[in-house]
Amino acid sequence: MPQLISLIVPCYNESSAIDLFVATVTPILDAIADTSWEVIYVDDGSRDDTLEKLIALTQKMPSSRVVELSRNFGKEAALTVGLDVSQGDAVIPIDIDLQDPPELIADMVAAWREGAEIVNARRVDRMSDSLLKRKTASGFYKIHNALSRIKIPENVGDFRLMDRCVVNALKSLPERQRFMKGLFAWVGFRTVTIDYTRMTRSAGSSKFSAFSLFNLAMEGFTSFSSAPLRIWTLIGGCGAFAAMIYGFLILLRTLILGNSVPGYPSLFVAIIFFGSVQLISVGLLGEYIGRIYMEAKCRPIYIIRKMHGMQNGCDPEREPEI
């Protein structure tokens, strides 16, 4: 029997990229022997005509399905939707902008058939990204892996192949604030890595602003480590010890030289510095409390408005998981 491979394609305002993606991916998938395919497009609340184009695509390509979300839930939720509704023996998330080369899929499938349960695609050349993005990404991986016991492979994005056993493990995780790169690493399993060069976008522009990337980084730091809290405890202890030493030196100076009246700049700087440290530590504590608050409400990760193409290769008895 041919093995079923599920391709998960999150889409948010990607109307200009759809036609080229389909034209590029289809012959590559058809060329891989002994496989059948389903391509799951997750429309994450697009505001252009992305959804209309995807629905039309399901009429022309029986292997295509579209999951329409009720609003924009974010890429992490869109990936979760794809994992939940996929039925393949292996699952491959891929961006529609073709920065991750579909030509690599054949190599991924070959490695999977040789026994790998996760096949990571690692970007060895990111010159298509800006210098700032490359440096901040490198800094994130280094800081995260220094703080957490769960090591995220550097320069490995969402583009990877996962065996069904890996997908089932990910679906069993109940958390709602999801950092998918960390979850992919957390579940473990036998992993191999394939290197590739990252290309420029085929169309459109990135939907991640600097603020969005900062929020994603904070999700990564707070999802898999409590080390930041311990670091601020250490900073507080070091600050208190330094204050005690400084106080002892002032007392010693007063006993020897008498009580002089120093200026106020040093006092002002000290108050501002320690006040800022306190605000930062309170903000960090708030990040963890906020995660507890969001998890305690137990809201669904996503809401499906409608599924299109159910008659084309999808089991109608299977209800999508929320």
Side-chain angles (χ1 to χ4, degrees):
M1 292 291 293
Q3 295 167 308
L4 177 63
I5 310 295
S6 299
L7 217 62
I8 300 174
V9 188
C11 301
Y12 177 64
N13 295 343
E14 297 287 3
S15 174
S16 59
I18 294 173
D19 292 338
L20 181 58
F21 176 81
V22 173
T24 303
V25 168
T26 301
I28 293 173
L29 301 184
D30 291 341
I32 301 176
D34 300 323
T35 56
S36 59
W37 295 86
E38 62 170 1
V39 183
I40 303 170
Y41 298 94
V42 182
D43 180 69
D44 191 21
S46 296
R47 298 182 180 181
D48 59 5
D49 62 343
T50 295
L51 179 60
E52 289 73 15
K53 283 191 173 183
L54 292 177
I55 294 174
L57 185 64
T58 64
Q59 307 301 318
K60 297 185 295 183
M61 303 189 67
S63 61
S64 297
R65 297 157 53 195
V66 177
V67 182
E68 179 187 352
L69 300 186
S70 63
R71 63 170 177 84
N72 178 251
F73 286 88
K75 188 177 180 182
E76 309 301 286
L79 288 173
T80 303
V81 177
L83 293 174
D84 286 346
V85 304
S86 66
Q87 298 178 349
D89 300 300
V91 177
I92 304 174
I94 185 171
D95 290 340
I96 201 169
D97 56 22
L98 296 178
Q99 283 193 284
D100 301 320
E103 294 81 5
L104 211 62
I105 292 176
D107 296 331
M108 289 178 161
V109 172
W112 170 58
R113 286 172 171 169
E114 291 174 1
E117 292 163 325
I118 297 179
V119 184
N120 287 335
R122 180 172 57 198
R123 296 164 284 198
V124 294
D125 186 348
R126 299 187 60 170
M127 294 306 294
S128 59
D129 295 331
S130 67
L131 177 63
L132 178 61
K133 187 173 182 178
R134 295 198 303 270
K135 294 299 183 183
T136 53
S138 176
F140 165 77
Y141 287 115
K142 287 181 171 58
I143 295 173
H144 182 280
N145 291 340
L147 295 177
S148 175
R149 289 194 307 110
I150 305 301
K151 309 303 180 185
I152 298 178
E154 188 168 354
N155 287 323
V156 174
D158 299 319
F159 183 43
R160 67 188 70 206
L161 181 147
M162 293 170 285
D163 186 83
R164 173 50 54 180
C165 64
V166 179
V167 174
N168 290 338
L170 289 167
K171 289 168 62 176
S172 71
L173 302 179
E175 59 202 79
R176 285 151 175 79
Q177 295 289 104
R178 300 174 78 83
F179 178 64
M180 297 305 294
K181 292 182 181 65
L183 296 180
F184 293 151
W186 185 87
V187 294
F189 294 97
R190 292 193 297 271
T191 303
V192 300
T193 301
I194 298 175
D195 293 335
Y196 74 100
T197 299
R198 188 171 175 82
M199 309 300 290
T200 57
R201 286 182 63 97
S202 62
S205 59
S206 174
K207 308 306 182 293
F208 280 96
S209 64
F211 184 69
S212 299
L213 291 173
F214 174 78
N215 285 338
L216 186 62
M218 290 302 298
E219 286 287 340
F221 292 141
T222 56
S223 293
F224 292 91
S225 176
S226 60
L229 295 175
R230 299 191 184 99
I231 290 173
W232 282 106
T233 301
L234 178 62
I235 291 174
C238 292
F241 179 75
M244 290 175 60
I245 296 298
Y246 185 61
F248 175 77
L249 292 176
I250 291 176
L251 176 62
L252 186 62
R253 183 174 182 272
T254 301
L255 292 175
I256 296 174
L257 302 177
N259 185 17
S260 61
V261 181
Y264 290 99
S266 59
L267 180 62
F268 175 79
V269 170
I271 292 174
I272 294 298
F273 173 76
F274 286 107
S276 300
V277 169
Q278 288 176 334
L279 288 174
I280 294 172
S281 61
V282 169
L284 182 61
L285 185 61
E287 286 287 337
Y288 284 91
I289 294 175
R291 293 188 64 83
I292 297 171
Y293 171 68
M294 296 302 294
E295 295 291 338
K297 289 192 289 188
C298 294
R299 289 176 180 168
I301 302 170
Y302 57 84
I303 298 175
I304 295 177
R305 181 179 180 274
K306 193 173 182 181
M307 298 186 70
H308 306 270
M310 294 289 289
Q311 72 279 10
N312 298 325
C314 178
D315 184 358
E317 300 297 325
R318 187 180 187 278
E319 291 293 331
E321 300 177 28
I322 298 181

